[in-house]
Amino acid sequence: MRKALLAIAVAGTLTMTSGAQAQTAPEGYQLQQVLIMSRHNLRAPLANNGSVLEQSTPGKWPEWDVPGGQLTTKGGVLEVYMGHYMREWLAEQGMVTSGECPPADAVYTYANSLQRTVATAQFFITGAFPGCDVPVHHQEKMGTMDPTFNPVITDNSPEFREKAVNAMETERQGMKLDESYKLLEQITQYTDSPSCKEKKVCSLTEAKDTFTADYEKEPSVSGPLKVGNSLVDAFTLQYYEGFPLDQVAWGEIKTDQQWRVLSQLKNGYQDSLFTSTEVARNVAKPLVKYIDNALVTDQAKAPKITVLVGHDSNIASLLTALDFKPYQLHDQHERTPIGGKIVFQRWHDKNANRELMKIEYVYQSSEQLRNADVLSLKSPAQRVTLELKGCPVDTNGFCPIDKFNTLMNDAAK
């Protein structure tokens, strides 16, 4: 059944018409270069049975057909659809030719060396360039983090460690999460959980979070925020995967408002660990340097299309490190959704003979993910224009390339 689903998805991308209307750009604007920074698509929960999930409820968790952390078959289908949509858009902009494989030097794909990121990149390429020989580059040793995508602390000084921990604690202190924790305790029957009965930890609102910023390790937290993130992440992935609603959080999430309240825990976990300025600039530095090299420093030699596949921590820290303005994604509760992409676009305005940058968040809505909706220009993915504080955009979402270049060079130092 799973293989059949994937075969249908790939076949669908080959047979769909591409006569849909393009996203409109001002007259005389030509897209010249694209860099896509993507989060991997749908995976099984990272916290498997026997860990924090099992400790937090007397309830039985549903079984997944892949090991924890691995891309699911449906995740592959969703990424094929996203790849097909992006191909249609690129073809409408004249970046690729419909029905033809791109030249060997036109597309470069680079993924972190974990199964879920490499597989996401492979499925994206299958959707975007079916039948074409477009390799996915990654470290030879699978299962280890590539330094470009590894959001670890690189400053070993006690001063930085103290500053980073204080910054994470400050982020956490600004969040009001009691309502989220109480709802989570109710859904999981937390007072009947092994955590309460065996470890005497019976309240998520009363327990304390402990943050760490150790050298060559990811920023981390232990305590209720980590528990809450793991639980809400599992519920969210169940919903996307298409589990029957009576199996998603045991049927206890009945309203959109409940999802909104619970998602504050998942977003709060990510915000506290990866969006303080001190931490983000440190852990995102290798990725910032790679993007700066592709879009600015060595732009003349760079491929027309670069696809990078990493994690939500990469996107969250990157957005803070480059100082993006706050943004709101419609039809999504996640701040950095499964399969979502930050799309950097270099444009040329022929009329004014100038270069411009436009940056969009391209992603699938919660319902598109759950329903496995086929994407095309007629049934598009969601798009939200982003703005850098150092590069104000015009009414069409474009900012001057010289300001963007300066900003990128400064961030990469």
Side-chain angles (χ1 to χ4, degrees), residues 268-303:
Y269 173 86
Q270 188 183 80
D271 286 349
S272 62
L273 292 186
F274 293 105
T275 67
S276 67
T277 303
E278 291 82 357
V279 173
R281 286 181 178 166
N282 183 269
V283 302
K285 184 75 78 174
L287 185 58
V288 169
K289 286 184 175 178
Y290 188 96
I291 294 172
D292 175 62
N293 192 57
L295 292 177
V296 184
T297 308
D298 213 14
Q299 182 265 330
K301 298 178 185 174

Side-chain angles (χ1 to χ4, degrees), residues 153 161 164-165 168 210-214 217-222 273:
I153 301 292
R161 189 179 304 119
V165 168
M168 290 189 281
T210 303
F211 292 91
T212 56
D214 294 337
K217 293 183 179 179
E218 286 193 30
S220 66
V221 61
S222 59
L273 292 186

Side-chain angles (χ1 to χ4, degrees), residues 296 355 357 388-393 399-410:
V296 184
E355 305 289 313
M357 175 60 60
L388 294 154
K389 289 181 183 174
C391 199
V393 299
C399 81
I401 204 70
D402 57 337
K403 289 192 175 183
F404 174 79
N405 290 349
T406 299
L407 183 153
M408 285 300 306
N409 285 161
D410 289 347

Side-chain angles (χ1 to χ4, degrees), residues 59-112:
K60 181 171 171 53
W61 291 92
E63 294 291 325
W64 289 71
D65 63 355
V66 297
Q70 288 200 5
L71 194 78
T72 68
T73 303
K74 184 176 179 181
V77 170
L78 292 167
E79 197 61 30
V80 168
Y81 291 160
M82 181 63 95
H84 177 75
Y85 166 73
M86 293 300 292
R87 162 63 179 259
E88 280 198 344
W89 175 69
L90 290 166
E92 289 288 331
Q93 305 305 328
M95 290 283 282
V96 296
T97 304
S98 292
E100 293 182 13
C101 290
D105 60 351
V107 181
Y108 188 82
T109 310
Y110 175 30
N112 189 28

Side-chain angles (χ1 to χ4, degrees), residues 220-233:
S220 66
V221 61
S222 59
L225 192 59
K226 182 174 183 178
V227 174
N229 174 69
S230 296
L231 291 165
V232 176
D233 180 61

